[in-house]
Amino acid sequence: MNKVHPKTRTDLIGLTGSVTRRITIIDAKEYPTGVSVRVSDETGEEYWTELEDIELDD
């Protein structure tokens, strides 16, 4: 069996983008400046973000 050696993609290094994840809101706080939500994603990671930065399902 031949060992596969990956090719480094230097053309991709440093580019930026976004990742779409399914999240569940587990806490929410309203401040005069906006709403902060604590979310849990499908990988089990939990973090705070702003409500305006997520898109809720209809």
Side-chain angles (χ1 to χ4, degrees), residues 8-37:
T8 300
R9 292 289 309 268
T10 56
D11 59 317
L12 296 176
I13 297 171
L15 297 179
T16 61
S18 62
V19 175
T20 302
R21 296 184 191 180
R22 300 289 307 160
I23 54 105
T24 300
I25 296 175
I26 56 175
D27 197 1
K29 307 281 185 194
E30 184 171 1
Y31 297 93
T33 56
V35 178
S36 293
V37 291

Side-chain angles (χ1 to χ4, degrees), residues 26-55:
I26 56 175
D27 197 1
K29 307 281 185 194
E30 184 171 1
Y31 297 93
T33 56
V35 178
S36 293
V37 291
R38 184 156 180 83
V39 299
S40 174
D41 67 20
E42 71 263 359
T43 66
E45 184 177 348
E46 295 181 3
Y47 53 92
W48 284 95
T49 189
E50 298 302 313
L51 183 60
E52 65 188 30
D53 293 336
I54 63 174
E55 185 175 322

